[in-house]
Amino acid sequence: MADLIPPALPSVSLLLASVAVLVSLARLTFPAPSGRHRRPVRPDAVRRRPLEVPLDGGAARLVRPYVIAAEQAARRRELLLADFGIDGPGPYVIHGVEVAA
C-alpha cells in the first residue's frame, strides 16, 4: 500500500496558508465589536427627559436584601413549626394579621 501523506502535504499546506490569509483579511475588514458585542450607542441617539420633580430619597424605604431573606426564612420556620403544633416565640402575625396564640 502506498503512503498518501507525502504527496498530499504540498496541497494541504497551500490550503492552510490560503485559509490563514483569508482569515487575516476578514479580521482587518470586519473588526470585532468591543465590550459585550454590542454596537456603540451614539450620544445623540439617547434622549432623556429631565425630571420635572427631583426624586425624594426619604420617600422610599431602602431595605437590604439579606434582611428580607432572613425575615422570610424566620416566617417559613415559624409556619413549619406551626404545622407540627409548636408555637414559636415572638409576635403572632401571619400575612400581616395578628392572630391569637
Side-chain angles (χ1 to χ4, degrees), residues 68-79:
I68 294 173
E71 289 175 357
Q72 287 176 349
R75 285 187 199 132
R76 287 189 193 112
R77 190 177 326 109
E78 287 180 12
L79 289 173

Side-chain angles (χ1 to χ4, degrees), residues 19-33:
V19 167
V21 168
L22 288 175
V23 167
S24 63
L25 285 176
R27 285 187 179 162
L28 289 174
T29 307
F30 306 108

Side-chain angles (χ1 to χ4, degrees), residues 23-101:
V23 167
S24 63
L25 285 176
R27 285 187 179 162
L28 289 174
T29 307
F30 306 108
S34 62
R36 300 182 72 186
H37 303 289
R38 296 181 182 161
R39 289 185 186 171
V41 178
R42 295 177 302 164
D44 60 338
V46 178
R47 296 183 186 184
R48 295 186 178 160
R49 250 186 342 174
L51 292 174
E52 297 160 356
V53 180
L55 296 176
D56 182 19
R61 187 177 134 207
L62 299 177
V63 180
R64 304 262 185 233
Y66 58 85
V67 173
I68 294 173
E71 289 175 357
Q72 287 176 349
R75 285 187 199 132
R76 287 189 193 112
R77 190 177 326 109
E78 287 180 12
L79 289 173
L80 178 69
L81 291 173
D83 285 342
F84 295 107
I86 302 171
D87 291 332
Y92 297 98
V93 178
I94 298 177
H95 301 292
V97 179
E98 189 171 346
V99 296

Side-chain angles (χ1 to χ4, degrees), residues 1-10:
M1 186 160 151
D3 193 10
L4 299 177
I5 294 177
L9 281 179

